Amino acid sequence: MTVLAHGVGSRTDLPIPIGFALYGAGAAILASFAVLLLFWRSPHLGGPDAGRPLPAGLQRLLDSSGVRRGLQAVALLIAAFVVTAALAGPEETSRNLGPWVLFVTFWVGLVPVSLLLGPVWRVVNPLRLLHRLLRPLGPDAPGAAQLPALGLWPAAGALTVFVWLELVHPDRTEPVTVAVFLLGYAAVQLACAQWFGEGWFARGDGFEAYSTLIARLSPWGRRSDGRLVLRNPLANALATPSRPGLSALVMVLLGSTAFDGLTRTVWWQTGPGSANDWFSGTVGLLLSIALVSGLYVLGTRLSGRLAGQEQGVQPARYAATVIPIALGYTVAHYFSLLMLDGQTTWILISNPFGTDGVDLFGTYGNRVDLTAVSADVIALVQVGAIITGHVVGVILAHERALLSARRARASDQLPLVLVMVVFTLGGLGLLFGF
Amino acid sequence: MTARPVRLPRAVAASAVALVLPLAACAGTDEPRPSAASSSSSSTSSSSTSSSTSSSAAGAGAASSSPGQGSLRAELDVVAGPVEQAGRISVRVGESVTLVLNSTIDDELHVHGYDLTADLRAGQTTELTFDATIPGVFEIELHDAGTVLLTLQVS
C-alpha cells in the first residue's frame, strides 16, 4: 500500500474553491494592515505573570508525582500494546492498528488535545517513567551541563526524523516500520536522557516539544512563580521562553506541513515528485523547511534592521509569533485525516490482532464513513485555520515588536508581516493546488 | 446517444476528459478550472512517458461519455515497470466512472476510499464501473507493484 501524503489515509482533500482562496488571501492582507495601523500602540496582552491562578488543591493534584507516574504508566501500557499490535497484528496496513494510531490518532490528535488541555505529553510521556526506572543502571547524567546550550535543537532534529518517516519513507505505512520506529525512537531518547538527565525530554523528545509548543496557544500557563494559571492564549504564546532552536522547531513544523500539502498537488505528483521515491521526497522535504526558514530569517532580520535593533537576535525573538501560522497549516492539512480516516483506529481497536470472531466493542464490522464531514465544511475549516493562524501571528508579532521597543514604528514590522503574508498565501495556494 | 469509446493519444484524451466535465455538470461554476489544469498537466507528463521506449508506463487513455448522464470512461494500459504518475481524472459527485484496463501483467487494482478492487490478468481487459459518491481525491493503485496509476478527483 502506498500513499502520497501524510503517512496513512485513503483520501486527500479536494482543492479549495478559487473563491475561498481569493477571499482568504484578501482577508489575510487586510487583517495584516489593520493590525499594524489600527491596533494598540503599547504592549497590551499581559506578561508572563498574567493569568488567573487555579485553586491550590487542584494544582497540587495536577503536579503530584503520583498522578504523573500513574498517567505515564497508562501511556506506557498503551504504547506497548500498540507496538505489539503492529508486530503481531494483521500484516495489511488497512487492518493493522499501529500505523493509524501513530500517524493519525497520536500525531494529529496531539494537536487538539494540547490546544485544549495544555502540554499533556509532558505530563503523560511514558519515556519519562521508563527513564526513572532505568536511570540507576547507568551513568548519572554526565552531560547535564550542556543541555541549556542545546536548547530545542535536539527536538527539532527528532521531529525532522519523524516527519521524514511520515512523509517520505517508502515503507512508512507498513506496521513493522511503525513498530521499529517506535522502539528505536524510545531507545535513542532513553540513551540521551541517561546522558543528559531528565531535562532532556523537554528539549530532545520531539513529541513532547511539539505538544508543549501547541500548548503555548492553549489557555493553560505557568506563572514565573510556578503557579498554574488560566490566561489569554495570546499572552501565553508571548511568554514562551526563548531558547536556542525554538525557531528551528517551528520552521520544521511549518516546512514539513507545507511539503505535505505540496505532495498532494498535481504539480508535484506529475512533476518533481513523479518518481514518488525517497530521493525526491527527502530533497523536497528539506528544501521546504529551508525555504520557510530562509524567508523567516530574512523577514525578522529586515524588521530588526529597520528598527535599528541587533539583527542576530531577531529570529529567536519572534519565533513564538509563527506558532499560530504553523498551527493553522497543521489544522488545514490534517483536520480531515483525523475526522475521516481517524475512524479506522476505533474500528480496529475492536480486534487489534485480527483474530477470527473477536469484536470487543462491536465496531469491527463498521466501515469508515468518508462523507461524515462534507467537502464544504472541510474547505471552510482549512481556509479558516490558515487565516486565523495568520491574524493571530500578526497580532503576536505586533505585540512582540512593541515589547522590544516601546516606540516601535508600524513600518518597521512590515518585512516580517510580509513574510507572514507569503506563508499564508503559500498555504492557501497549496490548498488550492496551484 | 451511445457511449463511443475511442482510443486516443493521451494528450488528446486528456482534453477530452476536460471537455466532458462541463457537459456532465450543467451547473458548472468555477469548479472545473482546477480539473482542466490538472488534465493538461497530466498529458504533458505521459506524452513524455510514451516517447521513452522503456516499458515504464501506464500509457494511453481515452474518454467518452453520454452527455447529460454524467459518466466518465477512462482507458489505461497497464504494463510492468515503474509507473510514472499518470495524472488526475476529475468527475462530479454522483457520476458513473468506468475504468477500462488493458493489462500486460497480473496485479490487483485498488481504488482507495471506495475500497474497490479488480483482478487484472496479463493480456486481458478488465472493466470496473462504480458511482463516484464520495467527494475527495483518491488514489487508484496497483497493489502488488505498489504504484499509483491515477488519482481520481470527485468534487
Side-chain angles (χ1 to χ4, degrees), chain A residues 9-282:
Chain A
S10 59
R11 63 179 288 288
T12 51
D13 292 321
L14 289 167
I16 56 171
I18 178 81
F20 278 39
L22 291 178
Y23 282 125
I29 293 170
L30 217 71
S32 310
F33 288 101
V35 169
L36 282 190
L37 301 174
L38 305 177
F39 273 35
W40 53 87
R41 304 295 315 146
S42 57
H44 185 81
L45 292 172
D49 288 322
R52 184 189 299 264
L54 294 189
L58 185 58
Q59 167 151 13
R60 269 197 301 279
L61 182 71
L62 291 173
D63 279 350
S64 78
S65 59
V67 167
R68 292 189 174 215
R69 302 293 163 264
L71 291 171
Q72 288 163 6
V74 172
L76 183 62
L77 284 176
I78 295 174
F81 171 73
V82 169
V83 170
T84 312
L87 289 172
E91 284 177 18
E92 309 146 58
T93 298
S94 58
R95 296 278 86 185
N96 191 298
L97 197 57
W100 302 92
V101 170
L102 176 65
F103 291 124
V104 186
T105 312
F106 172 64
W107 171 244
V108 183
L110 201 53
V111 176
V113 171
S114 303
L115 198 57
L116 290 174
L117 302 177
V120 277
W121 199 248
R122 168 170 294 185
V123 176
V124 306
N125 189 350
L127 294 175
R128 283 181 180 263
L129 180 64
L130 277 179
H131 171 68
R132 294 210 157 219
L133 297 173
L134 298 175
R135 190 165 50 187
L137 305 178
D140 190 18
Q146 300 149 358
L147 256 190
L150 289 175
L152 287 163
W153 282 103
L159 273 187
T160 306
V161 171
F162 175 76
V163 294
W164 182 83
L165 174 88
E166 182 204 16
L167 303 174
V168 178
H169 192 290
D171 294 328
R172 56 196 178 269
T173 60
E174 298 296 326
V176 174
T177 311
V178 167
V180 168
F181 168 77
L182 287 175
L183 293 173
Y185 186 84
V188 171
Q189 289 290 326
L190 288 171
C192 289
Q194 192 74 49
W195 184 263
F196 291 107
E198 196 173 354
W200 165 265
F201 292 110
R203 296 172 173 84
D205 181 345
F207 300 116
E208 192 175 308
Y210 183 42
S211 171
T212 307
L213 195 75
I214 298 295
R216 281 287 158 193
L217 289 165
S218 79
W220 305 95
R222 200 178 279 272
R223 246 168 27 188
S224 38
D225 63 359
R227 282 304 300 272
L228 284 174
V229 292
L230 266 173
R231 64 185 171 200
N232 180 346
L234 299 186
N236 215 9
L238 281 174
T240 307
S242 181
R243 285 195 178 134
L246 174 65
S247 44
L249 185 66
V250 185
M251 289 303 128
V252 167
L253 293 169
L254 188 61
S256 62
T257 314
F259 175 69
D260 182 41
L262 185 69
T263 58
R264 301 182 201 184
T265 61
V266 175
W267 176 78
W268 173 266
Q269 290 170 6
T270 57
S274 60
N276 196 20
D277 58 0
W278 69 267
F279 179 77
S280 60
T282 306

Side-chain angles (χ1 to χ4, degrees), chain B residues 2-7 10 13 17 20-21 24 60-66 69-77 89-92 94-102 109 111 114 116 118 120 125-133 140 149-154:
Chain B
T2 50
R4 194 166 51 87
V6 192
R7 290 189 60 94
R10 179 75 187 182
V17 172
V20 160
L21 288 165
S64 74
S65 81
S66 316
Q69 282 184 359
S71 65
L72 180 129
R73 188 180 170 90
E75 195 166 335
L76 287 168
D77 289 337
I89 53 176
S90 292
V91 297
R92 310 291 294 193
E95 281 190 293
S96 162
V97 176
T98 302
L99 302 173
V100 183
L101 301 130
N102 309 312
L109 185 86
V111 183
Y114 291 80
L116 301 167
L120 305 181
T125 297
T126 309
E127 275 197 32
L128 178 66
T129 301
F130 59 96
D131 291 332
T133 50
I140 300 174
L149 275 182
L150 276 178
T151 49
L152 170 69
Q153 176 171 324
V154 183

Side-chain angles (χ1 to χ4, degrees), chain A residues 1-5 9-15 17-19 264-266 269-270 273-274 276 367 370-371 375 432, chain B residues 30-31 33 38 41-42 45 84-85 87-88 112-115 133-139 141 146 148 151 153-155:
Chain A
M1 173 169 177
T2 59
V3 276
L4 284 166
S10 59
R11 63 179 288 288
T12 51
D13 292 321
L14 289 167
I18 178 81
R264 301 182 201 184
T265 61
V266 175
Q269 290 170 6
T270 57
S274 60
N276 196 20
R367 287 175 54 107
L370 291 177
T371 58
F432 177 62
Chain B
D30 44 14
E31 289 289 322
R33 211 189 91 97
S38 64
S41 62
S42 72
S45 93
E84 295 217 5
Q85 265 296 326
R88 187 173 288 191
H112 280 251
Y114 291 80
D115 216 13
T133 50
I134 310 169
V137 178
F138 306 90
E139 290 175 357
E141 67 154 0
V148 179
T151 49
Q153 176 171 324
V154 183
S155 57

